[in-house]
Amino acid sequence: MPLTMDAIRQAQARIAPYALKTPLLRMECLDAALGCQVYVKAECMQRTGSFKLRGAMNRALTLTPEERARGIVAASSGNHGRAISYAARLLGAKATVVMPRQAPEIKIQAIRALGAEVILCETSERFRLAEELCASRGATMVPPFNDETVMAGQGTVGLEIMEACPDMDVIVTPTSGGGLLGGVATAVRALSPRTRVYGAEPAAMPRYGRSLEAGAPVQVPQDTSIADALLAQSPGGLCFSYVQQNAAGVVPVEDAFLLRGMKLLLTEGKLLGEPSACIGMGAALQGVLPVRSEEKVCFVVSGGNAGLSQLHALDAL
Amino acid sequence: MPLTMDAIRQAQARIAPYALKTPLLRMECLDAALGCQVYVKAECMQRTGSFKLRGAMNRALTLTPEERARGIVAASSGNHGRAISYAARLLGAKATVVMPRQAPEIKIQAIRALGAEVILCETSERFRLAEELCASRGATMVPPFNDETVMAGQGTVGLEIMEACPDMDVIVTPTSGGGLLGGVATAVRALSPRTRVYGAEPAAMPRYGRSLEAGAPVQVPQDTSIADALLAQSPGGLCFSYVQQNAAGVVPVEDAFLLRGMKLLLTEGKLLGEPSACIGMGAALQGVLPVRSEEKVCFVVSGGNAGLSQLHALDAL
């Protein structure tokens, strides 16, 4: 089913009993630092600690009873895996999550706590391994981003923002494979064509910057970043076309600025976002986000699954 | 002017251009741990980082031009001083803040950054020193709690909670001299007599527990607590009578539970409250807060002025 406004509205109705309508917070204390009228969509307060629940739940609810019985497999850096594990438990299905050995301990533990099987591997191996598992077990793969039903779920973030503040000028989402950005941009383009939706991605892995320039999905080398949830090597093929059509652009952000954004959000905004979730604020601090001081800009703080030990990196800033 | 519902409504109108209407957040992720339906009044997101702005602003706005010209003095553990300094700067008055040497560095710095004069002293000396300064300079003292105009400002917290959620069953506020508790309890008693308002105070300095038992304000020895904003030795005399009349009780909380509350709020709720602000959650964790699982309970997270270095204490929990 193609990603349309109708599909996103259907997703909203389908997941309503399971996903929270998270708060849209006005944070004027960040205006001066970020150079705009700051709003925050607090998906860090979403169940399972990230927006990923929306897409995972939307997909899991459309599985047939036979598919549920054979189990679900997910390749994930952590948050999608946790969302899938939560959805699977709710529906009585078995979940298996293939995730990078380097994933934060807090994410691995949360998934195990939901009763899912965790398989650790190298970051670049996770999709291949997950596919092999699906083939050998007859299980269903729920992709973290490259799936229109998953994207429709993520698009409900955009729908909620525009419902709460119809005159939002700009929305910024963290970007990896492009599920969130593609979903939100598609929803917002339909609801308010003048509102610009930007993605922000790690400068070390500029898969969208390169792909948008080339006009087609491009793969970049696996690299590392403090943004552990944003390490996909290439855009999802489906995601790419929705992003290309509906987003205003994707900007590259250095880890140092991302961390400053995380610190700002915590110490001034009083909100805990995980590193990846703060990349949009990092973009504004780095000066690469094209916004003006009078514009209402919503930063999607996509998740809050950060352990206390991860906060120590902020001390030195 | 006595503290009445009218006075609190007037305060609300007077401070509306200066103080934020902070969000009331539903935090179901804390329900199981705290044993009730958890709501948080996020005064940590208030301007100057705490609810103290409400009372300070309400009092500062009622100063005569002559009083403004002679300056304002405040004795404070930090948050009231910051609020007074902010109000004074807004009104073009000079502010002097007498505060404990042991106050967190983040609070001292914030006050200096607002252009106020800071005088450091022993915790127990701060009120006497402030009075001497007022006498010698002809300045006006704005007390941190024992003042009905200040209390009316703090009472707007209760008004906002009941406006946002008229069927709230219980409200819990951190308690030191009793300005916040007295103000909130008076507002809530008038608006919804069945709603119970509790205070939570450090077990090391149970000035309200003792005073309510004795039927009159009692002084306890100066002691220390991680709750640096809750170290008053006795209830304000005015505060005490409003608390006695309108509050449902005050419970003593051990530092260890307070810290667990702070950690829970940060890691699960994704919100940064300063230690003192988390004492209500500490009370629930300690099992001393009389609430039932089906009750809607609002925890007033009264401030967020905690430095990153203060978060290290949470690591070991």
Side-chain angles (χ1 to χ4, degrees), chain B residues 20-40:
Chain B
L20 301 176
K21 232 174 215 189
T22 54
L24 179 71
L25 303 166
R26 172 77 177 99
M27 285 198 183
E28 53 150 49
C29 57
L30 306 189
D31 288 0
L34 301 183
C36 53
Q37 311 286 309
V38 178
Y39 290 74
V40 163

Side-chain angles (χ1 to χ4, degrees), chain A residues 206-220 232-235 240:
Chain A
R207 85 290 289 179
Y208 263 97
R210 296 274 167 79
S211 300
L212 289 169
E213 218 175 82
V218 165
Q219 180 167 319
V220 299
Q233 285 183 253
S234 53
F240 179 76

Side-chain angles (χ1 to χ4, degrees), chain B residues 1 5-15 58 156 159:
Chain B
M1 183 177 182
M5 197 61 228
D6 263 5
I8 296 168
R9 288 199 191 279
Q10 281 168 33
Q12 188 178 42
R14 192 180 291 121
I15 68 176
N58 195 40
T156 62
L159 188 46

